[in-house]
Amino acid sequence: MARALAGALLVLAMLGAVPGEARAPGRLMVLADEHSLILSRQSIARGPAVVQLMNRGEDPHDLKLRRIGGSRVAALAETRSGALSEAEVPLYTGRYRLWCSLPGHRALGMRATLRVRRAR
Ligand SMILES: [Cu+2]
């Protein structure tokens, strides 16, 4: 599993590689429970980022990300209690809203804001 994941990330890194611009993707961990989202960081550099959703709660949770003013929604699948989901998400400069899309969860507090910086 870990090896397959590392292989997949390597392929993604190679596909996204630009000569002279080799760079590891940023990383963001999101801890979910009833009913909050806690981000491992409040800001991150623009570019591809590995986003992980760790469900520390008892109910399933998912994660959506959308840049304020944008229309594209990145999604991490519904994740069961105790499980970890991961996706590589392209992040553009600006502010992103993050939330859980299960019924009622956003209104109960499962929302957060992430700033994406221009600088590296
Ligand atoms: Cu939720």
Side-chain angles (χ1 to χ4, degrees):
M1 175 62 186
R3 179 174 299 226
L5 187 59
L9 288 175
L10 180 61
V11 169
L12 285 171
M14 290 168 69
L15 288 173
V18 174
E21 200 178 312
R23 184 174 74 97
R27 300 187 72 87
L28 172 69
M29 169 72 82
V30 180
L31 301 177
D33 68 5
E34 295 79 36
H35 287 95
S36 69
L37 293 179
I38 298 174
L39 309 186
S40 62
R41 55 200 302 170
Q42 299 308 307
S43 71
I44 191 170
R46 70 179 180 188
V50 175
V51 178
Q52 294 180 309
L53 172 65
M54 177 73 222
N55 185 353
R56 298 192 304 176
E58 297 179 358
D59 300 332
H61 297 292
D62 69 9
L63 183 68
K64 309 278 189 187
L65 302 90
R66 183 175 59 214
R67 192 171 68 83
I68 295 174
S71 56
R72 188 177 307 171
V73 176
L76 274 72
E78 188 172 314
T79 303
R80 70 181 190 282
S81 174
L84 180 75
S85 294
E86 179 173 303
E88 183 160 303
V89 178
L91 294 176
Y92 302 91
T93 306
R95 292 170 69 82
Y96 279 71
R97 298 233 188 266
L98 285 68
W99 71 98
C100 173
S101 71
L102 271 73
H105 287 198
R106 184 178 190 169
L108 286 167
M110 298 195 71
R111 55 182 184 262
T113 303
L114 174 71
R115 189 167 66 89
V116 179
R117 304 185 309 269
R118 182 178 299 274
R120 291 182 171 170

